[in-house]
Amino acid sequence: MEIQRTPLTFRSEGVLCAATLFAPAAPGAEAPCVVMANGFSGTMDWILPSFAERFAAAGLAVLTFDYRHLGKSEGEPRQLVDVRKQRADLRAAVELARSRPGIRPDRVALWGTSLGGSHVVEIAAEDPRIAAVILNMPALDALAGSNVKAKRERARAGRATLVWVTARLLAAAVRDAARGALGRPPRYLAVYGAPGEAFFTDPDLASRFERVAAESPTWQNRVAARFLLGVPRYREGTMERIAAPLLVCLAESDVEISAAFVKAKAARAPRAEVRTYPGGHFDLYHGGVFEQVAADQAEFLRAHLMR
């Protein structure tokens, strides 16, 4: 099926954000729409197009966008990841989808991966009009829901090393916050790099981030360190308020988030389904596992939106 891609813009709290609407090229009746929320440091040319193309081929409209401060969206300073602002951007993206001609406003779904999953949970819990929800390895809580033990074992690092790395990262975050308060340029940390200087440090991820840099030209390997002072925390009772059907996709060997934590919270949602796939956190984005994940998600969306 031919897919039409339409560049769009919308404003979120006065800031201009860039978006792309994927839709089947053939004209027809109003279509349901999936609004996609990317993960930490993610831009709309990374991860999202692969899923969006498959969903559009299944007859759905799909809206991807860049959070402010990232990619093609406005916002200064650049490469700032702010949880509150990103959730406001997601709300504005949902309103854009509902206002577009050719889209059924009562059939708008949310899809969120990693950090974007925590955003989606919050918006779905507060907006009863959301028609369906997909969480792709959601980072619901950066502290209680993290997988510190697994990360330490993967890196073969002792407790002393973990304390040293954590102290360096937090010191960078405090310095960056102080620079922000004074109107000075950010103190950046790499998204992927050396321990104490980056958010992701697993050597096995090197080739994956090389691929991101090569294939996603608007993505940058840096984020303002102050993010660490405002990481998302899960609020008890949130999952219980999601009325829409919910599909949670997890990776068996995920060392970035705790699958057990996510499963425990998802079990409290009224209409949740959990599926687990082989591989790690980033394996669900590419290759053979990705194809199965995308097919399952497209089937879920069609079942709940195309009625």
Side-chain angles (χ1 to χ4, degrees), residues 229-247:
L229 303 181
V231 296
R233 301 300 310 275
Y234 179 77
R235 294 187 296 173
E236 291 298 332
T238 303
M239 282 286 191
E240 290 89 331
R241 292 187 289 114
I242 298 178
L246 168 65
L247 175 63

Side-chain angles (χ1 to χ4, degrees), residues 283-294:
D283 291 322
L284 272 62
Y285 298 145
H286 301 288
V289 177
F290 158 75
E291 295 295 345
Q292 186 60 59
V293 173

Side-chain angles (χ1 to χ4, degrees), residues 21-36:
L21 182 67
F22 294 70
E30 288 187 326
C33 184
V34 185
V35 179
M36 305 189 77

Side-chain angles (χ1 to χ4, degrees), residues 101-269:
I103 290 177
R104 290 187 60 181
D106 62 334
R107 285 289 184 269
V108 172
L110 292 177
W111 182 102
T113 193
S114 198
L115 177 62
S118 74
H119 302 340
V120 162
V121 165
E122 284 289 326
I123 277 65
E126 71 186 31
D127 186 347
R129 295 177 64 196
I130 295 298
V133 178
I134 292 178
L135 301 179
N136 216 34
M137 302 164 295
L140 299 181
D141 191 303
L143 300 181
S146 64
N147 220 348
V148 175
K149 182 179 179 181
K151 289 181 183 179
R152 185 162 58 85
E153 291 175 350
R154 174 71 67 87
R156 297 182 178 86
R159 293 183 182 277
T161 300
L162 178 63
V163 170
W164 173 79
V165 168
T166 302
R168 288 201 62 177
L169 294 176
L170 289 176
V174 171
R175 288 196 296 271
D176 180 44
R179 293 175 67 87
L182 296 172
R184 299 178 63 188
R187 159 69 163 96
Y188 291 108
L189 291 171
V191 178
Y192 176 79
E197 288 294 329
F199 294 94
F200 296 98
T201 60
D202 186 346
D204 292 343
L205 298 178
S207 62
R208 295 188 181 277
F209 279 98
E210 288 172 0
R211 177 175 178 173
V212 173
E215 298 180 359
S216 306
T218 69
W219 179 82
Q220 294 184 32
N221 189 26
R222 61 175 189 161
V223 163
R226 72 193 71 170
F227 167 74
L228 290 170
L229 303 181
V231 296
R233 301 300 310 275
Y234 179 77
R235 294 187 296 173
E236 291 298 332
T238 303
M239 282 286 191
E240 290 89 331
R241 292 187 289 114
I242 298 178
L246 168 65
L247 175 63
V248 182
C249 297
L250 300 172
E252 288 178 353
S253 305
D254 199 331
V255 299
E256 305 304 332
I257 67 167
S258 168
F261 181 88
V262 175
K263 287 179 180 178
K265 302 307 178 187
R268 303 174 184 177

Side-chain angles (χ1 to χ4, degrees), residues 3 5 20 22-23 36 47-58 60-64 290:
I3 298 170
R5 296 165 178 80
T20 300
F22 294 70
M36 305 189 77
I47 298 171
L48 303 187
S50 298
F51 284 93
E53 288 167 0
R54 283 154 179 79
F55 297 163
L60 303 161
V62 184
L63 184 70
T64 66
F290 158 75

